[in-house]
Amino acid sequence: MESLFGVCSNSFLPSIQTHKNSVFLPSFNSPHLPRIKSQNWVSLKPHNFPPFAASKKRELKCISSDERLGTSVDEDDSLKTGVRIKNLAVFVSGGGSNFRAIHEAIVRGEVHGRFVVLVTNKHDCGGAEYARKNGIPVIIYPNTKGEPEGLSSNNLVAALSTYGIDFILLAGYLKLIPSELIRAYPKSILNIHPSLLPAFGGKGYYGQKVHKAVIASGARYSGPTIHFVDENYDTGRILAQRIVPVIANDTAEELAARVLRQEHKMYAEVAAAICDERVIWREDGVPLIQSKANPEHYS
Ligand code: GRF
C-alpha cells in the first residue's frame, strides 16, 4: 500500500523508518493515522513515483489559493479530503465490463481515482473502444505481428511512468504481465479472477473454462477474487472475494453471468479502497481492506 498521506501529507508524518520499499509507522494517536491495534500492521509503501508523479505531488503540496482557483473540482476535492486522487491504468483484452463498471463508479464520485490510460493487446476490443469514447488514451502491448504498434516491456514501463500511475487494474487482460512491470509497481497491481482462488486458478483457467471446471467439480459455491499480482498466474495475495451460489442445473454461461455481476460491484469497491488508501498489510503479508463506514473493521 502506498503512503496513507499521499500528496500533501509528508508534513504529517511524525517519524518514519524506511525499510526497503516500506515505511513502518509506530501507531501514534494521530487523527491522520488509521486505527490499528498493532504497529506491525502499518506498512506504508512509498511509491516509486516516477518524476512526473513526484512533481505532481509537489505541485499539490505547495499550491496557493490563487493556483487553487485553477484546479479542477477533483483536485479541489482531494485538497479537502487530504487524500490525493489516484491515477489508474487498466489492462483489458475483451469487452471490458469491469473497466466500465469502475469507470461508472468514478463518474458517480464513488472512487477517488481516475483512469489515465488503458493498455490492451487488442486495439479494437470493446474496452479500448469505450476508453477512446471517454477520452482515455489507449496503449497497445505487447508488440506482435498482429499488433505492430505494440510496445516492448521496457517501453510500456516507461510509458506508464509518464502517466504517473499509482495503481494498475487488470480487468480481463489475457497476456502475462512482464516482470519489469511487476518490479516497477510492487503491491500496486490488482487482478480479478472469476473463481474463489486458490481453487480453479492458474494457467489455463480463464473465461468459460473456469466456470465449466467449477460446475464439473460439484462445488456449491463460486465467486470472484481480487488479488495482487505476482509473477505467476493467480497466485498473488488475495484482497477480496464474494460468494455466489452454483445452482444445480447451471450452465457455464449462467454461472459466469452471476459471478460477473458480483465482479462489477466488488472491483468498484476495491478500487475505492485502494484510492482512499484503505488497504492495510497485516504482518503476515495478508492485505486487508479497512471499512469506510466503520474504520475499526477490516475484511
Ligand atoms: C472477468 O470474468 C474477469 O474475472 C476475468 O476476465 C473477465 C473479464 O470480463 N479476469 P470483462 O472484459 O471485464 O467483461
Side-chain angles (χ1 to χ4, degrees), residues 46-118:
H47 261 277
N48 18 344
F49 281 111
F52 173 85
S55 68
K56 268 212 105 94
K57 285 174 81 171
R58 275 195 297 280
E59 270 167 39
L60 283 172
K61 187 176 175 185
C62 303
I63 204 155
S64 71
S65 54
D66 282 343
E67 284 165 328
R68 197 170 298 154
L69 290 175
T71 60
S72 69
V73 173
D74 283 354
E75 282 167 338
D76 218 29
D77 183 43
S78 85
L79 291 169
K80 273 186 240 150
T81 60
V83 177
R84 184 175 53 82
I85 292 172
K86 302 304 182 295
N87 290 332
L88 307 174
V90 64
F91 283 47
V92 172
S93 295
S97 68
N98 278 286
F99 161 47
R100 277 180 276 156
I102 301 166
H103 185 256
E104 284 161 15
I106 290 173
V107 171
R108 290 195 300 271
E110 294 166 10
V111 178
H112 204 58
R114 56 187 157 216
F115 282 115
V116 294
V117 67
L118 177 139

Side-chain angles (χ1 to χ4, degrees), residues 143-265:
N143 178 294
T144 59
K145 268 191 191 157
E147 294 287 4
E149 305 284 297
L151 299 184
S152 67
S153 298
N154 285 333
N155 285 343
L156 174 67
V157 174
L160 293 179
S161 280
T162 66
Y163 283 105
I165 298 300
D166 295 302
F167 294 103
I168 295 171
L169 307 181
L170 308 185
Y173 182 72
L174 295 176
K175 297 283 180 185
L176 196 62
I177 298 302
S179 51
E180 292 90 332
L181 194 62
I182 292 170
R183 282 197 298 275
Y185 290 90
K187 293 182 175 172
S188 307
I189 308 178
L190 291 170
N191 180 44
I192 189 159
H193 181 79
S195 77
L196 293 172
L197 291 175
F200 309 107
K203 199 165 164 47
Y205 280 107
Y206 60 89
Q208 298 296 315
K209 291 186 184 193
V210 176
H211 304 293
K212 281 183 184 157
V214 169
I215 291 168
S217 76
R220 302 306 202 260
Y221 294 96
S222 187
T225 300
I226 290 177
H227 62 93
F228 283 92
V229 171
D230 63 15
E231 310 227 349
N232 304 306
Y233 281 111
D234 303 329
T235 57
R237 291 289 190 172
I238 292 171
L239 178 60
Q241 292 187 311
R242 294 288 183 276
I243 294 169
V244 165
V246 182
I247 296 169
N249 56 355
D250 259 346
T251 62
E253 290 74 18
E254 286 165 341
L255 178 56
R258 199 174 306 123
V259 171
L260 193 61
R261 281 196 290 278
Q262 290 304 316
E263 291 186 32
H264 295 162
K265 287 186 197 160

Side-chain angles (χ1 to χ4, degrees), residues 119-141:
V119 177
T120 184
N121 60 316
K122 290 188 179 166
H123 72 274
D124 56 353
C125 70
E129 297 297 341
Y130 178 87
R132 289 187 193 99
K133 275 188 199 135
N134 286 278
I136 299 167
V138 173
I139 287 179
I140 313 296
Y141 173 83

